[in-house]
Amino acid sequence: MRRIFAAVTAAMIFATLSISARAAPCLVVTLTGTQGGPTVFNGQAGAGTLVSYGDDSNACAAVRLQFDAGRGTSMRLSQINVTPVQLSAIFLTHIHGDHTEGLPDVLALRWYLKGPKVDVVCSADTATRSGSINSCRNYVTHIADAFIGSGEVAERLSEDRERLAGGPAELANVLTFEPKEEPQLVWTSGDVKVSAIRSTHIAGHASYRVDTPAGSVVIGGDASNDTPAPPRSHSTSDQVERLAQGTDVIVHSAIHPVLGPDRGSGFPGPIFYRQSLATDLGAMAKRVGAKYLMLTHLAPSLGTARHNRWPVPGGPLSDADYRRAVEESGYTGKTIAGTDLTTLRLPLQ
């Protein structure tokens, strides 16, 4: 009898441990697009990052958050068996086209497949120096106007009346916030919390942080320092550094020193200075204690002899060139020069 009891007890303990092991929380960061700037090189998708959280029982995919949606986002998601219907929320760092051109496709496909409404989180309307208004809300509200004007929405509705009558834009629940100097909570779902902070690139630019029991990740977007040009101690955003304290992963756009105004490419200084230098990103990652630095939106792209219309001095760069630039700062964590669908899982397997 004692043997039977001991065997049953051992089986119960083993089952409990097995369930616990299967249910361990996990976080996956996937670069859905790494193109630097508006042009296209070698089939790269536009800027975007997918952050997925869950546990081992659901392949770390209970919550899927898409940060920015450059051209080709839906195609890249399809390569990892994710459809726009499965996204839990979408976040925009800013409304430059290379970060948003894929959003009409994402929302149109979600509408076509009759997915539920989805939160689109972004900055409130912001005045620019020239007096115009950068408006994420207007962009999303009018995102399906071409589909409506062409008659496609009416045609699709005639095929299936269960689709929302207002078209793809009606799927978007736009949640705007006023970016501040300190992190503020802008979205939550269960154990997942997303915070945002103001950062400099264009008016209304914001950077985000995702916190989960499995780890944390900061998405810097195209953030740079508030001082638009040298002299300054670093090119990175002080606000992003504040947001990134103690984070596990930093995902950030990066420009290589080779495009600097003193290197002969002809690349415009004002554009160069409003991006974060790879070396300075390494220094920031070191200061905040980040374990991983994922470089994306690379300028220049890996392997290209021209960035947009400017030649790359010395010829195409490799991922090793970017890693060396980061390591010049003394950063000893893991540096990843991102390509489309580069993936990082926490905890590591």
Side-chain angles (χ1 to χ4, degrees):
M1 186 68 178
R2 289 180 179 175
R3 289 181 180 177
I4 295 174
F5 178 77
V8 171
T9 302
M12 291 174 64
I13 293 173
F14 178 77
T16 300
L17 291 174
S18 297
I19 292 171
S20 177
R22 286 197 303 270
C26 49
L27 176 73
V28 177
V29 181
T30 303
L31 303 181
T32 57
T34 55
Q35 176 65 42
T39 60
V40 182
F41 170 71
N42 200 29
Q44 289 180 148
T49 303
L50 178 69
V51 177
S52 302
Y53 168 76
D55 56 45
D56 290 334
S57 70
N58 53 41
C60 315
V63 177
R64 292 185 173 102
L65 309 178
Q66 180 68 39
F67 292 85
D68 288 335
R71 71 169 70 91
T73 295
S74 288
M75 294 179 66
R76 288 291 176 264
L77 290 175
S78 75
Q79 291 178 272
I80 53 174
N81 297 316
V82 176
T83 75
V85 173
Q86 295 170 309
L87 298 178
S88 306
I90 301 168
F91 301 79
L92 300 179
T93 60
H94 62 298
I95 57 168
H96 268 165
D98 54 322
H99 291 250
T100 62
E101 288 173 351
L103 187 59
D105 181 37
V106 168
L107 290 180
L109 186 52
R110 190 178 179 109
W111 177 77
Y112 176 79
L113 296 173
K114 298 184 291 187
K117 290 192 175 187
V118 62
D119 292 339
V120 178
V121 184
C122 51
S123 294
D125 290 5
T126 309
T128 69
R129 291 181 178 178
S130 66
S132 63
I133 301 295
N134 285 346
S135 178
C136 166
R137 180 176 292 279
N138 281 346
Y139 178 68
V140 178
T141 299
H142 295 282
I143 207 162
D145 286 2
F147 302 138
I148 294 171
S150 70
E152 180 176 358
V153 167
E155 180 68 26
R156 298 292 189 186
L157 283 171
S158 71
E159 298 169 352
D160 192 335
R161 291 294 178 183
E162 291 185 8
R163 296 188 175 109
L164 292 177
E170 193 177 339
L171 275 175
N173 178 35
V174 182
L175 304 176
T176 62
F177 60 91
E178 297 284 350
K180 301 183 184 301
E181 295 295 324
E182 297 294 332
Q184 60 176 310
L185 191 65
V186 295
W187 193 88
T188 63
S189 177
D191 290 332
V192 179
K193 296 177 174 58
V194 181
S195 303
I197 200 167
R198 180 195 74 77
S199 45
T200 292
H201 180 62
I202 63 170
H205 190 283
S207 301
Y208 297 93
R209 174 173 175 146
V210 183
D211 284 292
T212 77
S216 57
V217 55
V218 166
I219 294 90
D222 288 359
S224 63
N225 197 269
D226 286 353
T227 301
R232 55 187 182 179
S233 60
H234 51 268
S235 59
T236 51
S237 165
D238 294 330
Q239 292 80 13
V240 171
E241 185 165 340
R242 199 173 301 140
L243 185 71
Q245 291 295 324
T247 193
D248 294 296
V249 184
I250 297 174
V251 179
H252 209 294
S253 66
I255 195 164
H256 195 278
V258 75
L259 288 181
D262 59 336
R263 302 295 287 271
S265 72
F267 190 72
I271 299 177
F272 178 84
Y273 293 129
R274 73 178 185 187
Q275 296 284 350
S276 289
L277 199 64
T279 306
D280 289 344
L281 285 167
M284 181 180 73
K286 180 181 179 180
R287 289 192 296 269
V288 303
K291 302 178 182 70
Y292 304 93
L293 174 60
M294 300 181 77
L295 305 180
T296 186
H297 194 279
L298 300 179
S301 297
L302 298 178
T304 185
R306 299 183 69 82
H307 178 67
N308 296 329
R309 61 182 182 274
W310 298 283
V312 179
L317 301 183
S318 68
D319 56 354
D321 292 315
Y322 273 97
R323 289 198 303 273
R324 278 194 293 269
V326 169
E327 289 164 1
E328 287 178 8
S329 69
Y331 177 63
T332 57
K334 175 72 172 178
T335 301
I336 300 168
T339 56
D340 290 11
L341 299 184
T342 295
T343 296
L344 173 67
R345 183 190 189 277
L346 295 179
L348 299 178
Q349 286 184 317

